[in-house]
Amino acid sequence: MPTVEELYRNYGILADATEQVGQHKDAYQVILDGVKGGTKEKRLAAQFIPKFFKHFPELADSAINAQLDLCEDEDVSIRRQAIKELPQFATGENLPRVADILTQLLQTDDSAEFNLVNNALLSIFKMDAKGTLGGLFSQILQGEDIVRERAIKFLSTKLKTLPDEVLTKEVEELILTESKKVLEDVTGEEFVLFMKILSGLKSLQTVSGRQQLVELVAEQADLEQTFNPSDPDCVDRLLQCTRQAVPLFSKNVHSTRFVTYFCEQVLPNLSTLTTPVEGLDIQLEVLKLLAEMSSFCGDMEKLETNLRKLFDKLLEYMPLPPEEAENGENAGNEEPKLQFSYVECLLYSFHQLGRKLPDFLTAKLNAEKLKDFKIRLQYFARGLQVYIRQLRLALQGKTGEALKTEENKIKVVALKITNNINVLIKDLFHIPPSYKSTVTLSWKPVQKVEIGQKRASEDTTSGSPPKKSSAGPKRDARQIYNPPSGKYSSNLGNFNYEQRGAFRGSRGGRGWGTRGNRSRGRLY
């Protein structure tokens, strides 16, 4: 083992050799042997090995392995120095290997080391993006779970910081190709991260690019398979995928496949849906997603059939008025419960799809059924007016800080819901029924639509920004909209698209399938 003095002497030989440095192979070998010495020798070796690496291609494997030994040293200062110098080994065919090594080193628990690894990866990314991606995706597909997790997070957070000259069209195509391989078996959280990665690529910002992403999501959602409402993984998979698809839809990228699936497979099973997410009102989540997608539904093959399913589900939440006794009072003990959150979603979806078949209520329903629907609408509208008056009275004169209390935030959202329903009911009371009014769904932010604006949906013309909701609604929270109780559901605010942890990897693999046996340990 060389001493510190011997390391300095051989360093001097190489440094003084200038253009003839490659002729001093023995001197470089002494420096490589420095990794077997003590702490001081290792620190010098960590600096000297990369400095002359490019001059000794025949010793490339030995040099890289020597540096890797230092990357795993017990002394943290030696490890950090060795990691910091790794990009100097990323030349030619060695770069993918260095990228693979750095990716594995992401598993470190030392924050300083972790930052050095991130910086080193970014450094070689700028040298050769394709080669670096080869190393990253190699570990994502075959590496340890902790390495896979951190490599995916690296891509999801760092890709967007790279300049256009690094993220060329060819590089983005490689990211898409490799991502498709990974998406064959991912957890729910991994899927969300990959959608974040892919939706941020410039080449996928076009209409055709968005369409490609929607098809990817549809494939993940298994829309060709029969829906199983009693399987929590099946339900959460569909919801997670749909949440990723919703922001991609526009007037040019249609939601038809998803809306069709929801109408045909999910709505008929709404009451039997199960989810592992505690406290989640799964039925309301489904109806919210359907409402958001309905604005961008294109030509539907079985429009009348699916519109009827939507109509029938709406009727379930639009009660008939209670029968009156001879004295004019209610024969029953209590008024039917009006579930405003559900009705807003269903009525909005029906209103959107009804535009495509405007004579549905007049020509497709028999007179008795239409009369029954009008009675239900009228009864619901009466209760609605009472509730709207109560809400306006409760909020009257309140501004600023007073509106920021949790109770008043909920009342503001409840007022949006009831106003939306009121507008839509008025449309359906027209003779013939009209589908011209536009409303902003209560949980959506208002968007100002300019004339000629490319992406202007019909549900972005009125309303106010959403109010932040409190966590953990109960499943029966939707039923507390009973005027004049004055209580409001706490789940009316923002709808979080990226609900993490909805899929349980412990259910046998990664939640969406098993990845099989993968090699463990060092893959350098």
Side-chain angles (χ1 to χ4, degrees):
M1 289 182 288
T3 63
V4 170
E5 290 75 19
E6 288 175 312
L7 288 171
Y8 272 120
R9 185 170 64 252
N10 283 279
Y11 174 85
I13 293 170
L14 295 173
D16 294 340
T18 59
E19 293 181 6
Q20 280 76 44
V21 64
Q23 298 174 13
H24 299 277
K25 184 176 176 181
D26 291 343
Y28 191 59
Q29 185 62 56
V30 170
I31 289 174
L32 293 182
D33 291 338
V35 302
K36 301 171 185 174
T39 301
K40 291 179 181 178
E41 289 81 9
K42 288 178 180 178
R43 283 179 184 165
L44 289 175
Q47 299 173 58
F48 295 168
I49 292 172
K51 188 171 180 67
F52 300 105
F53 171 75
K54 63 182 178 182
H55 299 292
F56 301 96
E58 69 277 19
L59 292 175
D61 281 346
S62 297
I64 292 174
N65 286 331
Q67 194 77 4
L68 290 180
D69 286 339
L70 297 175
C71 289
E72 295 182 331
D73 197 83
E74 292 180 0
D75 189 314
V76 66
S77 63
I78 293 173
R79 292 202 306 270
R80 291 175 184 173
Q81 182 65 45
I83 291 168
K84 184 179 178 182
E85 303 294 346
L86 271 179
Q88 294 193 55
F89 296 86
T91 56
E93 62 184 19
N94 294 314
L95 189 140
R97 184 183 175 195
V98 173
D100 191 288
I101 292 162
L102 282 167
T103 305
Q104 292 183 65
L105 291 172
L106 284 170
Q107 64 188 293
T108 179
D109 292 325
D110 182 281
S111 59
E113 276 183 57
F114 184 76
N115 290 333
L116 283 171
V117 174
N118 272 269
N119 292 336
L121 274 170
L122 285 172
S123 175
I124 66 169
F125 223 116
K126 292 168 185 175
M127 298 180 202
D128 180 356
K130 287 186 176 180
T132 307
L133 286 168
L136 280 160
F137 276 103
S138 170
Q139 286 301 315
I140 289 172
L141 287 165
Q142 300 173 7
E144 298 278 351
D145 285 347
I146 182 67
V147 174
R148 174 186 171 101
E149 176 189 332
R150 292 186 180 179
I152 293 172
K153 285 183 179 176
F154 173 86
L155 289 173
S156 70
T157 56
K158 303 299 183 183
L159 279 184
K160 58 189 177 187
T161 68
L162 295 169
D164 291 348
E165 57 265 26
V166 174
L167 281 182
T168 62
K169 185 179 180 183
E170 291 74 22
V171 170
E172 291 195 343
E173 285 175 355
L174 177 62
I175 292 170
L176 178 59
T177 301
E178 293 299 312
S179 295
K180 285 180 178 178
K181 295 177 186 175
V182 180
L183 288 173
E184 290 177 7
D185 188 7
V186 288
T187 64
E189 183 175 346
E190 288 172 345
F191 174 65
V192 169
L193 288 174
F194 267 102
M195 288 307 299
K196 181 181 176 183
I197 292 166
L198 296 176
S199 60
L201 300 180
K202 288 183 175 59
S203 58
L204 294 178
Q205 301 297 321
T206 61
V207 170
S208 61
R210 292 299 187 197
Q211 188 60 53
Q212 217 176 335
L213 288 177
V214 168
E215 288 166 6
L216 257 181
V217 179
E219 190 178 330
Q220 283 290 321
D222 256 352
L223 297 184
E224 303 301 321
Q225 298 298 315
T226 303
F227 181 65
N228 182 0
S230 61
D231 179 0
D233 278 351
C234 178
V235 174
D236 283 327
R237 180 188 184 115
L238 178 64
L239 291 189
Q240 194 81 287
C241 289
T242 307
R243 287 176 190 134
Q244 297 308 308
V246 166
L248 301 172
F249 296 135
S250 67
K251 64 180 181 180
N252 297 314
V253 181
H254 294 156
S255 59
T256 315
R257 279 187 72 188
F258 281 84
V259 174
T260 300
Y261 191 82
F262 269 60
C263 289
E264 292 179 353
Q265 301 266 351
V266 185
L267 277 184
N269 297 299
L270 191 65
S271 61
T272 60
L273 295 179
T274 53
T275 173
V277 183
E278 187 178 350
L280 179 69
D281 186 342
I282 189 70
Q283 297 178 40
L284 184 56
E285 294 295 285
V286 164
L287 295 179
K288 280 183 173 182
L289 287 169
L290 176 59
E292 290 193 57
M293 293 189 294
S294 64
S295 304
F296 304 114
C297 186
D299 295 334
M300 187 181 284
E301 190 176 333
K302 299 176 182 176
L303 177 59
E304 183 183 336
T305 302
N306 289 327
L307 198 54
R308 190 175 295 276
K309 288 180 179 178
L310 192 52
F311 177 76
D312 289 342
K313 185 57 64 175
L314 175 61
L315 288 185
E316 291 181 23
Y317 296 96
M318 303 281 292
L320 285 166
E323 294 182 8
E324 292 187 354
E326 292 182 3
N327 59 5
E329 295 181 359
N330 288 346
N333 293 325
E334 59 179 46
E335 296 273 336
K337 292 179 179 179
L338 305 183
Q339 298 178 18
F340 294 111
S341 290
Y342 282 40
V343 171
E344 179 196 18
C345 298
L346 286 163
L347 202 55
Y348 182 90
S349 301
F350 179 77
H351 193 266
Q352 291 294 317
L353 296 186
R355 291 175 178 176
K356 301 177 181 300
L357 193 64
D359 66 344
F360 174 79
L361 290 173
T362 52
K364 307 300 181 182
L365 293 182
N366 60 49
E368 198 60 37
K369 194 123 184 175
L370 180 59
K371 181 183 176 183
D372 172 84
F373 182 52
K374 288 286 182 77
I375 291 171
R376 292 171 188 266
L377 281 179
Q378 195 168 33
Y379 174 68
F380 205 94
R382 280 208 313 268
L384 202 63
Q385 294 305 319
V386 172
Y387 200 35
I388 290 173
R389 283 197 298 271
Q390 289 178 348
L391 288 168
R392 285 178 176 164
L393 189 62
L395 294 170
Q396 191 173 3
K398 289 185 173 63
T399 57
E401 291 301 316
L403 288 175
K404 293 180 182 177
T405 66
E406 200 58 42
E407 183 182 352
N408 284 334
K409 282 181 183 180
I410 294 168
K411 287 178 181 176
V412 168
V413 179
L415 186 57
K416 288 183 196 175
I417 293 173
T418 47
N419 279 333
N420 283 349
I421 298 173
N422 195 38
V423 169
L424 298 175
I425 285 179
K426 282 181 179 178
D427 250 18
L428 297 181
F429 263 124
H430 279 98
I431 301 177
S434 169
Y435 299 92
K436 293 180 180 178
S437 294
T438 59
V439 297
T440 299
L441 290 164
S442 59
W443 63 91
K444 299 287 288 179
V446 65
Q447 296 176 15
K448 291 182 180 178
V449 180
E450 302 293 337
I451 294 175
Q453 183 176 326
K454 269 192 173 183
R455 179 170 175 172
S457 69
E458 296 189 346
D459 64 342
T460 56
T461 53
S462 65
S464 304
K467 302 297 175 180
K468 194 171 182 180
S469 64
S470 61
K474 300 292 184 185
R475 274 188 67 82
D476 61 351
R478 64 187 185 277
Q479 295 184 345
I480 58 179
Y481 288 126
N482 297 322
S485 66
K487 294 182 181 178
Y488 311 95
S489 173
S490 63
N491 61 358
L492 297 174
N494 285 338
F495 178 48
N496 180 13
Y497 285 111
E498 297 190 8
Q499 284 197 345
R500 295 158 73 123
F503 294 86
R504 306 294 176 87
S506 61
R507 291 182 181 272
R510 297 204 153 265
W512 290 4
T514 56
R515 290 177 56 206
N517 295 322
R518 289 172 291 115
S519 57
R520 300 284 175 177
R522 178 165 161 173
L523 300 173
Y524 302 143

